[in-house]
Every structure is written in C-alpha cells, then in structure tokens.
Amino acid sequence: MTTPELHGEKTQLRPWRETDLDVVLGVTDDPLIPLISQVPAERDTAGALAFVAAQIERSEEGLGWAWAVVPCGGGEVVGYVGALWVAEPAGRASVGYWTAAGGRRRGLMSDAVTTASDWLLVDAGVARLEAYIEPWNTGSIRVAERAGYEREGLMKSFAPIGGRRRDAYLYARVAR
C-alpha cells in the first residue's frame, strides 16, 4: 500500500519526509495536538523523527495512510491528515487531522480532509470513514462538517486524553 500525492483546491497532500521535522517540532508545544496524536509532547528531534518514521511505516505496513499538508503553490507543511484501518474487512477506517497554528482559519484543513476523504472513499477501498472529535473542539468539528462528515452520536468515555477519559462525537462519511 502506498500513500499517493493528492491535490485539492487549496492544498497538496504528500507523504511525510524526514525533512518535515520543523512542523512536528513546532506543534509539540500546542496544548492539544500532542494529547490526541502521536506528536511528541516535548520539543525533541529524536521524537519528531520517530513521528515522521511512524507516518511512513503506516503505509508501508498496510495500516493506513498519512499525509503532510502543504498549501498549493508550495511552502511549509501546515498540518497532517491520516487514516487508519479500524476494521479493514468491513471497510472502516478512522480519519484524524491537525493543523499547525500558522495554517489555521484559512480553509486549508477543510480542503485537505475533503481531498483525502474523497480519495479514500473512491480509490482506496474504504467504505466508511469515522472521525472521533471531542465535543469542545469546535475547529475540528467545523473541518469535519465542511468535509462532508455527519455527526452520528456521542460516545461516552471514548478515550483517555490528558490522563482523563473523555467523550467524543462520532462523525462519519460513507462511500456513495
């Protein structure tokens, strides 16, 4: 399985590279991203390298896909979009995403999640994409809804975040 380059209206999605360390190091001090992702919680080059390596391995091992998000026309990586198989035989995968502070409120992540989701549901054999979003995370909720995801319900005590079990909304988008 490979992670292809994808092109949206505002973003280019490409596989992660070892040269993408700056964005990973830059989001280590974000109050939320290290809690809900594999981004290390400390500004550490070895940890950032491990994050990038894990994104590359995800595809190589057939576990899912991971993209670095770059604005169209080039520039620095502004975020991450990825999907992991939850139940591959059933065609279910979970999608996750984050945006570095400099890439927010520009419509980039909505475009990136839409672009990745379109490809996953049409070309990658995924029948159902799920996003698990904390109820207070209004930015992520807006991204999911703009990308065509619909809220299906609230999952109580879904996962530990910051040392405490938290609720999450279940959003889904299905293949047509």
Side-chain angles (χ1 to χ4, degrees):
M1 178 164 39
T2 61
T3 298
E5 286 199 20
L6 303 174
H7 299 275
E9 292 180 19
K10 296 182 177 187
T11 57
Q12 172 189 348
L13 282 63
R14 62 163 175 76
W16 283 85
R17 304 174 185 152
E18 286 189 7
T19 55
D20 295 329
L21 294 183
D22 286 347
V23 69
V24 179
L25 290 169
V27 298
T28 58
D29 60 0
D30 186 274
L32 181 59
I33 293 171
L35 292 177
I36 61 170
S37 72
Q38 294 178 330
V39 169
E42 296 181 16
R43 196 175 192 82
D44 168 53
T45 301
L49 278 169
F51 171 84
V52 171
Q55 307 322 302
I56 295 167
E57 289 169 9
R58 175 180 299 169
S59 176
E60 291 173 352
E61 294 175 5
L63 302 174
W65 306 264
W67 290 277
V69 179
V70 179
C72 283
E76 299 295 316
V77 174
V78 296
Y80 159 90
V81 176
L84 287 170
W85 284 111
V86 175
E88 187 175 1
R92 288 183 30 236
S94 68
V95 65
Y97 45 91
W98 53 256
T99 313
R104 295 178 184 157
R105 294 180 181 82
R106 296 168 39 196
L108 298 174
M109 193 51 60
S110 294
D111 181 71
V113 173
T114 299
T115 301
S117 299
D118 289 349
W119 181 83
L120 289 161
L121 292 169
V122 173
D123 297 314
V126 177
R128 176 183 169 87
L129 286 168
E130 299 173 347
Y132 317 115
I133 305 171
E134 304 79 10
W136 48 265
N137 192 341
T138 56
S140 286
I141 289 169
R142 279 194 291 268
V143 167
E145 290 174 348
R146 288 178 184 147
Y149 286 75
E150 295 181 18
R151 185 184 306 176
E152 293 186 338
L154 178 68
M155 298 181 296
K156 296 286 197 177
S157 192
F158 174 70
I161 298 174
R164 238 178 86 204
R165 292 205 65 87
R166 307 282 179 150
D167 296 346
Y169 285 131
L170 170 61
Y171 277 81
R173 185 171 159 194
V174 296
R176 300 272 181 245

